[in-house]
Amino acid sequence: MLGLRLTHAAIATAATLVSTVLAQTTVDPIVIKGSKFFYKTNGTEFFIKGVAYQQDVGGNGTSGTNVNFIDPLTDSAGCSRDIPYLQKLQTNTVRVYAIDPTQDHTQCMQMLAAAGIYVIADLSAPNASINRIDPAWTTDLYARYTSVVDVLAPFTNTLGFFAGNEVSNNASNIDAIPFVKAAVRDTKAYIAARNYRTIGVGYAADDDPAIRAPLEDYLNCGPAEDAIDFFGYNIYSWCGQSSFQASGYADRTAEFSNYSVPAFFAEYGCNVPEPRLFDETLALYSSNMTGVWSGGIVYEYFQETNGFGLISLDGNSVSALPDFTALSTQIAKVTPTGANMASYTPTNTVARACPATNAAWDAVASPLPVTPNEQLCSCMVQNLTCVAKSGVSDSAIGSLFAGICNPLLNGPNICAGIAANSTTGDYGAYGMCSAVEQLSWAMNSYFFEQQAQNSANTDACDFGGNATTQTPSLPTTCTALASQAGQAGTGVVTSAPTGTGSSGGSGSGGGASTTTSSAAGAAIVPSFDFGLLKLGVYVSVAAMVGGGIVLM
């Protein structure tokens, strides 16, 4: 049986309030000082009372497969419908997992602002994210992440961004986390370069005991410009009638007691047994935890097959479920006591030491993956003699990489310029380019190696009909970049990207059917370990079975 609905009168009153104050498009921005959030103007400490607000995008540790996701912040009718229910839960923050940067978010963001609700947005999308199996930080992803920044940064109720959600979730995929940290670094730099107000960039981690401690340290260590601005913790350890001690909350609170940036629950709300009691909400905002934690985000608003919903949606009709009633009751009891920004002096100002690399943690702390730079990639391709033909298939890309970059066949350095190995810290200058651009680099390297051995070899730039020759050119605008990258592509490029990530946000606000299918690049450079470069599993299989690898 569905839980009680809000009364029609209450909904109508709240909706009228939202519409009449819609013109109030700004709220007091949230800022960070030490390990706490504060309202910028009045200096009151800000505790997140949040709800995850998006359907079918793979939160709660699941992998998103819905490419055509619905961006709830483009659905003004949906926002108008849902805000009264969010207010009933005293919500001051919503987390949105995938933004469509081609659409207009103004109406929803204004309505949320009028209701005093801030937004934490994930920068990725279900098919445009750092993949824990084939991790990379590329020009396509950079464009995706920065386009989300461009769309949401102008709104004062944008609280922050997540550069990743549970990307590394066990000891087997720790090598993905340096790419997340590089994304944090570059997104922060982009926000500064575009002269946006300071907006934090963080990470949402799962609760895996094997990697929990070193992950916390890794994301916090090193130069501040590379480190996360806040730590989000997806934690479901308090189930049913538990306690501060039995749930592990006491241990986690002790672990974060000296963390130098804000930490909060990016997802919480164990749903075993059902219905949920939300006793953990009382603990989270109690004096046991508010000195360390800045609140949390309940998973999730919409009821889905996983059974975590607070409401059910039938067409445009909302019904509050028993979990909604329980949370509403519990959140009404909390009155967290916080600090005042002016009088608050952070004591935990020292970042964590970077974890040592060992059998349990194989990601090196420095250097991080290189900053994506589309201009550098374009300059590189223009300056090559042998390049991949346009339209080369994904399967051909995999087979060609496996053949060209196999050090047993062609030596250890032929693909050093496109290396991206987070366990050794070897990163080529072009390791962030698109798959086809990197393939062109590899083809050109192989071509010149073969020419050096036999100048009469006219087939060295054929690769089964997938490559062609061109006359190289290096525009003057490319000279400095090419010089920094070096002839072998192993130099350090210090020039910052000149482009923006904007995908445009001038479209009209969409309805509930607003969806997006990201074109962040179908082909990726895979990552099966071949020394400096990492090549993917499907490539290694092709190599083992002779899957059409044609070099000459």
Side-chain angles (χ1 to χ4, degrees):
M1 179 177 179
L2 297 179
L4 297 175
R5 297 170 182 245
L6 293 180
T7 66
H8 291 295
I11 294 174
T13 301
T16 300
L17 176 63
V18 169
S19 62
T20 56
V21 298
L22 189 59
Q24 299 177 9
T25 59
T26 62
V27 292
D28 196 7
I30 303 303
V31 297
I32 296 171
K33 181 179 180 181
S35 59
K36 297 180 181 296
F37 293 112
F38 295 94
Y39 289 98
K40 181 179 180 179
T41 302
N42 65 29
T44 303
E45 185 172 355
F46 180 83
F47 291 96
I48 294 171
K49 297 179 181 178
V51 174
Y53 183 65
Q54 190 160 14
Q55 295 173 281
D56 300 325
V57 289
N60 187 32
T62 60
S63 298
T65 57
N66 185 7
V67 174
N68 295 314
F69 61 87
I70 298 172
D71 179 349
L73 301 189
T74 64
D75 179 8
S76 57
C79 288
S80 179
R81 174 198 67 214
D82 294 330
I83 285 174
Y85 289 90
L86 293 170
Q87 290 177 308
K88 183 71 173 178
L89 298 173
Q90 299 190 18
T91 304
N92 63 16
T93 306
V94 292
R95 178 181 178 184
V96 180
Y97 292 85
I99 292 293
D100 179 356
T102 68
Q103 299 297 313
D104 186 5
H105 297 76
T106 303
Q107 287 184 292
C108 275
M109 291 299 288
Q110 287 180 342
M111 284 189 278
L112 290 167
I117 298 174
Y118 294 80
V119 173
I120 299 177
D122 288 57
L123 296 170
S124 61
N127 68 333
S129 63
I130 297 170
N131 187 316
R132 66 173 65 103
I133 299 173
D134 277 330
W137 175 231
T138 65
T139 53
D140 291 324
L141 289 178
Y142 179 84
R144 157 73 201 179
Y145 284 32
T146 54
S147 68
V148 174
V149 171
D150 286 335
V151 167
L152 294 183
F155 300 104
T156 55
N157 59 327
T158 297
L159 193 158
F161 301 105
F162 281 128
N165 180 66
E166 300 188 12
V167 177
S168 294
N169 62 359
N170 60 58
S172 71
N173 49 47
I174 292 167
D175 63 329
I177 208 66
F179 296 93
V180 174
K181 193 168 182 178
V184 170
R185 174 200 64 200
D186 295 337
T187 303
K188 291 170 63 170
Y190 181 82
I191 291 171
R194 296 285 289 169
N195 292 318
Y196 294 133
R197 65 181 175 85
T198 301
I199 305 173
V201 183
Y203 176 74
D206 79 325
D207 186 26
D208 185 278
I211 65 171
R212 187 166 53 208
L215 178 66
E216 296 161 9
D217 294 347
Y218 186 91
L219 291 169
N220 183 240
C221 75
E225 58 267 26
D226 296 349
I228 55 170
D229 295 315
F230 51 78
F231 189 96
Y233 198 3
N234 299 344
I235 180 169
Y236 294 86
S237 62
W238 186 309
C239 297
Q241 293 181 329
S242 188
S243 68
F244 182 59
Q245 297 292 339
S247 65
Y249 277 25
D251 294 333
R252 304 292 82 76
T253 300
E255 288 173 7
F256 279 90
S257 62
N258 66 346
Y259 214 58
S260 64
V261 298
F264 58 92
F265 289 3
E267 290 176 5
Y268 80 93
C270 173
N271 66 348
V272 179
E274 294 182 310
R276 292 183 279 185
L277 304 176
F278 286 110
D279 289 345
E280 69 268 44
T281 300
L282 300 179
L284 180 58
Y285 299 97
S286 73
S287 58
N288 283 334
M289 300 185 69
T290 52
V292 174
W293 301 98
S294 297
I297 299 170
V298 171
Y299 189 82
E300 63 176 326
Y301 183 73
F302 296 100
Q303 178 72 313
E304 300 182 271
T305 56
N306 59 17
F308 280 87
L310 299 173
I311 64 96
S312 66
L313 191 62
D314 182 10
N316 200 44
S317 177
V318 176
S319 293
L321 297 173
D323 284 2
F324 181 99
T325 303
L327 178 61
S328 177
T329 299
Q330 298 290 50
I331 201 74
K333 299 175 183 177
V334 305
T335 54
T337 301
N340 179 273
M341 183 165 60
S343 58
Y344 165 64
T345 301
T347 57
N348 43 337
T349 58
V350 179
R352 298 278 181 88
C354 293
T357 54
N358 50 44
W361 183 270
D362 61 0
V364 299
S366 181
L368 293 174
V370 299
T371 299
N373 189 326
E374 182 53 49
Q375 183 186 11
L376 173 62
C377 297
S378 176
C379 290
M380 175 267 286
V381 173
Q382 291 180 70
N383 200 34
L384 301 178
T385 299
C386 179
V387 296
K389 287 183 177 179
S390 61
V392 60
S393 68
D394 290 357
S395 59
I397 290 174
S399 295
L400 288 163
F401 269 123
I404 299 171
C405 296
N406 188 334
L408 300 177
L409 297 176
N410 299 310
N413 299 318
I414 193 166
C415 290
I418 55 173
N421 192 328
S422 61
T423 62
T424 64
D426 292 304
Y427 300 103
Y430 307 116
M432 47 70 202
C433 298
S434 72
V436 174
E437 289 168 333
Q438 291 191 48
L439 180 59
S440 291
W441 171 267
M443 287 174 164
N444 192 72
S445 297
Y446 178 85
F447 171 74
F448 276 104
E449 183 180 86
Q450 294 299 307
Q451 287 281 293
Q453 296 175 15
N454 180 7
S455 60
N457 184 355
T458 59
D459 296 325
C461 187
D462 182 71
F463 298 97
N466 289 297
T468 186
T469 58
Q470 66 177 18
T471 301
S473 64
L474 189 66
T476 54
T477 53
C478 295
T479 303
L481 289 170
S483 176
Q484 291 173 12
Q487 186 173 354
T490 54
V492 176
V493 177
T494 57
S495 300
T498 56
T500 72
S502 179
S503 296
S506 59
S508 60
S513 62
T514 300
T515 62
T516 185
S517 178
S518 173
I524 59 173
V525 179
S527 58
F528 179 78
D529 197 350
F530 266 171
L532 293 178
L533 185 70
K534 301 183 106 182
L535 297 175
V537 173
Y538 77 90
V539 175
S540 66
V541 171
M544 287 184 236
V545 300
I549 300 174
V550 181
L551 297 185
M552 294 171 54

